[in-house]
Amino acid sequence: MKRILWSALLVMFLFSAAACFAAQEIPNLVGTWTAKAEGGVMVKGEKPGAKTHYTEPFGTLSAEITIEKQQGRVLHGTFKSPRATEKFIAIIGRDNKKMYYADEDGFLDGTIIDKNTLEVVYRHVTAKDAVVAVGVWTRKK
């Protein structure tokens, strides 16, 4: 009797462990997003680069992101602010919670909070300037 009870408990444990490790579906991030960010630029010369979204040492930024294509974990899109538009490529991490992005001159690390919210940190260093920013992307409904 004890052997049957222990066997049943072991089977239940294995099934519950398997459910915990089952693969989650990759989030679909295709769509249009708005960004609100706080950051700034450190200019190395006379003025920031042409693709630099910040122009002051401290500032806020509103932008629109369009994720046009997604195949599995790989994303392609554009980031548009009042000052510049850049293409980017991104990837969703294996945990389905992180996003890593490279644009024409910088990098962004994001955390997928839910299907409509990402928290992001951006940085770039070019010959003309360096930028850091932290913000939130919200999917337009």
Side-chain angles (χ1 to χ4, degrees):
M1 185 65 168
K2 284 184 181 180
R3 184 176 257 168
I4 293 172
L5 181 61
W6 281 111
S7 295
L9 287 172
L10 179 61
V11 168
M12 288 184 351
F13 171 76
L14 291 174
F15 277 120
S16 62
C20 290
F21 292 110
Q24 295 178 333
E25 188 173 324
I26 298 169
N28 181 348
L29 300 181
V30 171
T32 303
W33 301 73
T34 58
K36 301 286 184 198
E38 180 180 358
V41 62
M42 178 177 64
V43 178
K44 298 178 185 178
E46 293 181 28
K47 61 183 181 175
K51 295 282 184 170
T52 300
H53 301 279
Y54 287 89
T55 58
E56 299 296 325
F58 304 94
T60 57
L61 178 72
S62 293
E64 184 172 277
I65 300 94
T66 304
I67 298 175
E68 296 142 0
K69 297 183 235 172
Q70 178 173 348
Q71 184 173 356
R73 297 182 180 285
V74 181
L75 314 165
H76 287 262
T78 56
F79 184 98
K80 182 179 181 179
S81 76
R83 191 163 190 275
T85 299
E86 293 183 89
K87 292 181 180 180
F88 69 83
I89 186 167
I91 192 139
I92 297 169
R94 303 268 316 146
D95 63 0
N96 293 329
K97 299 278 186 209
K98 297 289 184 187
M99 181 187 72
Y100 305 95
Y101 152 135
D103 65 21
E104 296 174 32
D105 62 2
F107 301 93
L108 177 143
D109 294 336
T111 302
I112 301 167
I113 303 302
D114 59 41
K115 70 179 186 172
N116 295 314
T117 312
L118 286 92
E119 290 181 349
V120 299
V121 174
Y122 177 81
R123 59 216 166 279
H124 83 223
V125 177
T126 68
K128 293 191 173 220
D129 56 52
V131 170
V132 293
V134 62
V136 174
W137 291 9
T138 306
R139 191 189 307 255
K140 284 186 171 182
K141 300 200 181 200

